[in-house]
């Protein structure tokens, strides 16, 4: 028995020494909150965290979450250092509005934008729905409750003259939205993600449906009133039976970081992200849409972290 106890104590001591050795080598880890375990943010965040840890000898630990809003709340409370979000949610946090009314998070900073999320307003393919305005009085999926998709869907409908009382709102994710469309329980949905969107491809291939273009006036309104938005064209034949271009709007998914992280660390994180882009592309197809030129556009006046800004100045994307 004594031998077993001594062996157990010895193993525990070795583990403690190993943990202490890692802390001495890497320092305290940076916590990177990502998204739900079935989403792009989660897997991509794990890959980026591993890359950072390997390249910089600075341990970055990825952590699952409920997504953009929770991520910013965790950062605001000091329970995370780095997070994925969308620019609109970062804007709300930085300015203390919307989801962050009364809970302003002035210390959030942008490390770099990654890929655009694009609104796909998809409706059943029939003569009844020729424009987004025709959705008034119908049943529509806004997106999962509390998601960036829900927020953006409300603005898109608003821009086309449809208020919350003019439509029956449903709050579910993309998979459930496809089922509701397939079963005839809703008339439309916003698939808000990168292009091409797997969820949009599946929906269009299984339900006789199509993506509607936004009106020019609605696009102008969304871009002028909400500074995270930009006009976006979905090229012809991106989706099945889509011979014409689709005019819509989008915003960037972004990596944000707390202002308290020192400048040199953030400089190294930013540099490693962009100088290892080719290796990320091998594992994550979405990384092919990343570019350092877009990393600082569409930031809605949320400041860059000084360490990130230093890198972007070096490569000439910030003057």
């Amino acid at each position: 028995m004594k031998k077993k106890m001594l062996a157990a104590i010895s193993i525990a001591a070795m583990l403690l020494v190993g943990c202490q050795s890692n802390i001495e080598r890497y320092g305290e880890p940076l916590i990177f909150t990502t998204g739900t375990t079935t989403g792009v943010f989660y897997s991509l965040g794990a890959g980026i965290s591993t890359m950072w840890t390997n390249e910089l000898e600075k341990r970055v630990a990825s952590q699952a979450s409920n997504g953009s809003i929770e991520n910013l709340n965790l950062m605001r409370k000091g329970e995370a250092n780095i997070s994925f979000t969308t620019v609109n949610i970062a804007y709300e946090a930085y300015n203390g509005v919307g989801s962050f009314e009364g809970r302003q998070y002035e210390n959030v900073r942008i490390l770099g934008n990654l890929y655009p999320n694009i609104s796909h307003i998809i409706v059943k393919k029939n003569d009844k729905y020729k424009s987004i305005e025709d959705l008034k009085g119908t049943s529509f999926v806004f997106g999962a409750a509390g998601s960036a998709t829900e927020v953006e869907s409300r603005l898109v409908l608003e821009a086309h003259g449809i208020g919350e009382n003019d439509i029956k709102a449903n709050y579910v994710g993309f998979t459930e939205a496809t089922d509701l469309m397939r079963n005839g329980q809703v008339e439309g949905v916003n698939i808000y993600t990168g292009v091409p969107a797997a969820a949009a491809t599946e929906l269009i291939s299984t339900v006789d449906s199509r993506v509607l273009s936004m009106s020019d006036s609605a696009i102008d309104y969304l871009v002028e009133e909400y500074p995270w938005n930009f006009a976006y064209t979905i090229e012809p034949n991106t989706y099945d039976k889509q011979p014409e271009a689709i005019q819509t709007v989008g915003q960037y998914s972004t990596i944000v970081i707390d202002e308290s992280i020192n400048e040199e660390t953030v400089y190294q994180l930013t540099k490693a992200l962009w100088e290892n882009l080719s290796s990320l592309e091998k594992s994550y197809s979405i990384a092919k849409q990343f570019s350092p030129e877009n990393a600082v556009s569409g930031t809605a006046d949320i400041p860059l972290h000084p360490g990130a800004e230093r890198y972007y100045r070096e490569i000439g994307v910030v003057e």
Side-chain angles (χ1 to χ4, degrees), residues 123-135:
V123 298
K124 292 182 177 178
K125 189 182 288 184
N126 57 44
D127 291 337
K128 184 177 179 181
Y129 306 113
K130 295 180 179 178
S131 67
I132 294 175
E133 287 86 350
D134 295 330
L135 284 167

Side-chain angles (χ1 to χ4, degrees), residues 187-206:
E187 302 301 307
V189 58
N190 184 10
I191 302 294
Y192 193 54
T193 186
V195 175
T201 299
E202 180 185 355
L203 179 54
I204 292 167
S205 67
T206 58

